[in-house]
Amino acid sequence: MYMRTLEWDSTAKRLKMIDQRVLPSKLELISLDTYQSVYQSIKDMAVRGAPAIGVAAAFGIVLAAQQSQAGDVDMLRADLNQAAEVLGASRPTAVNLPWALKRMLGVAGHTYSSTADLRAALLDEAQRMADEDVALNRSMAAYGAELINDGDTIIHHCNTGALATVDWGTALGVIRMAHEQGKHIHVLVDETRPRLQGARLTAWELSQYGIPYDIISDNAAGYFLHTGQVNKVFYGGDRVARNGDVANKIGSYMLALAANANNVPVYSVVPTSTIDMELASGDEIPIEERDQDEVLNIQFQNQPATPKGASARNPAFDVTPHELISGIVTEKGVIYPPFEIHLAKIMQES
């Protein structure tokens, strides 16, 4: 099934993307024609998933170049730097966002004879990044699918499919590849509270692919692991420190703890652009804390689930220490401990 999460509309000269806020009720596309609207789409999670956020920001720079009234290349670069600051503030945890912006500004730093040439180069680069993302995902899927056996039951956390990338997906892409290879697999889908990316998005994607699944509440994962009903845990990652600590959607750490207590392997699937070699450990990864209303607005039987006047804490991510991770799947292959040594080696080769 073709599912490009975001795509450049060359006729209208704007960015089209799937609005993930309204899934699974309806599949709806939105069109963005300013970098400010891209910023808002990332912040409001119309687009989400570290790889998709990075490419969306790249196209945000393209739109900023279109918006600019600069009369020369230097003035246009100044406008692009300002746009990059705005886009970079949309979400702090996923390293793909600053990575993509740095890459786009690097292109802007080359020599151009006109603003038109610079604008064209930026669009080419953003398109290249989108196409690279799909190719990287397929490569990761091929490596990761080798870890899945026929008959496996897998717990998957959050959403890491085509919706979290430009197309195909990371951890869910691995599961999809194993399914397309003819392996009989079953997925236990963590709801992933409070925004329910698992129940809303992953379950929807699995339905499209024809992969058998059951949705489970996040706090049921330990039961299935302890009773021997799970063979492997797969999830993605929004930033990986050089020691192998993985920042991912909140709840990943608890899932990894339960899996390790029951000798079930845990795999994080990420492109090398998600690996941040400048950070020694996960303690240095900034953790986004989102609006408490995402927790407080949850309803039960059409009634508020929390007392009036209640307050809540809402960290969007947590960090799984590297000792709880069995392997990190990348487009270069599966990386095993000791991560500090093997990640450094693979990043030098990238």
Side-chain angles (χ1 to χ4, degrees):
M1 183 192 67
Y2 177 82
M3 189 191 300
R4 196 99 169 183
T5 300
L6 50 88
E7 197 163 26
W8 182 254
D9 184 338
S10 58
T11 302
K13 295 184 178 180
R14 57 190 180 183
L15 180 63
K16 296 190 302 183
M17 64 173 62
I18 295 173
D19 187 348
Q20 299 187 40
R21 297 168 298 187
V22 299
L23 284 169
S25 298
K26 55 184 175 178
L27 179 59
E28 184 174 284
L29 295 177
I30 56 176
S31 295
L32 310 175
D33 54 13
T34 67
Y35 75 85
Q36 293 92 341
S37 61
V38 174
Y39 163 86
Q40 203 62 46
S41 73
I42 295 172
K43 191 171 184 62
D44 293 344
M45 295 179 70
V47 62
R48 40 143 303 280
I53 287 172
V55 176
F59 281 111
I61 294 296
V62 174
L63 291 170
Q66 284 187 178
Q67 290 172 252
S68 173
Q69 301 297 312
D72 61 52
V73 171
D74 286 340
M75 291 176 64
L76 178 53
R77 286 196 188 102
D79 288 344
L80 296 176
N81 285 328
Q82 181 180 3
E85 285 189 21
V86 172
L87 290 162
S90 55
R91 298 196 71 188
T93 300
V95 74
N96 302 65
L97 179 60
W99 170 83
L101 293 171
K102 181 179 180 181
R103 180 166 164 177
M104 292 296 286
L105 293 180
V107 169
H110 297 164
T111 301
Y112 298 97
S113 58
S114 68
T115 56
D117 287 347
L118 173 50
R119 290 185 174 98
L122 290 170
L123 178 56
D124 287 345
E125 187 69 7
Q127 294 277 33
R128 188 176 299 111
M129 291 169 68
D131 292 338
E132 284 176 4
D133 182 70
V134 181
L136 293 179
N137 290 339
R138 286 183 172 272
S139 180
M140 286 189 291
Y143 284 116
E146 295 179 6
L147 301 170
I148 296 176
N149 298 321
D150 188 46
D152 273 355
T153 293
I154 300 160
I155 290 185
H156 177 278
H157 192 68
C158 197
N159 172 261
T160 64
L163 292 169
T165 62
V166 176
D167 195 5
W168 196 265
T170 58
L172 198 61
V174 167
I175 293 169
R176 178 180 173 184
M177 179 69 78
H179 170 74
E180 294 197 0
Q181 290 173 348
K183 295 175 182 176
H184 299 87
I185 54 179
H186 192 90
V187 184
L188 295 177
V189 181
D190 270 355
E191 286 177 304
T192 321
R193 290 176 178 262
R195 292 188 65 98
L196 303 175
Q197 294 98 321
R200 293 190 305 107
L201 306 178
T202 296
W204 181 79
E205 283 200 49
L206 290 171
S207 297
Q208 309 304 306
Y209 308 141
I211 300 175
Y213 70 90
D214 291 302
I215 297 171
I216 62 172
S217 62
D218 294 359
N219 54 7
Y223 164 78
F224 289 104
L225 288 159
H226 184 65
T227 53
Q229 299 183 60
V230 180
N231 302 102
K232 296 174 179 77
V233 168
F234 275 88
Y235 53 66
D238 288 79
R239 191 180 300 221
V240 179
R242 68 170 178 260
N243 71 340
D245 292 351
V246 175
N248 193 50
K249 183 53 57 183
I250 192 73
S252 302
Y253 176 38
M254 290 196 303
L255 179 57
L257 281 170
N260 273 258
N262 291 282
N263 299 311
V264 174
V266 176
Y267 297 101
S268 174
V269 185
V270 297
T272 52
S273 59
T274 300
I275 300 169
D276 190 346
M277 296 301 288
E278 294 184 4
L279 300 187
S281 75
D283 293 338
E284 300 176 37
I285 297 175
I287 299 299
E288 175 187 8
E289 185 150 357
R290 295 182 60 81
D291 194 305
Q292 66 173 356
D293 285 347
E294 292 182 350
V295 176
L296 298 176
N297 287 347
I298 292 174
Q299 294 193 337
F300 178 72
Q301 296 182 348
N302 298 319
Q303 297 294 324
T306 56
K308 187 176 181 180
S311 61
R313 296 292 302 275
N314 187 23
F317 303 90
D318 57 28
V319 175
T320 302
H322 61 275
E323 58 265 24
L324 300 179
I325 302 289
S326 306
I328 299 173
V329 182
T330 75
E331 75 275 14
K332 302 290 184 180
V334 183
I335 314 303
Y336 294 102
F339 291 119
E340 189 129 21
I341 294 172
H342 295 153
L343 285 175
K345 182 178 179 181
I346 203 168
M347 294 302 286
Q348 289 171 358
E349 296 171 354
S350 298

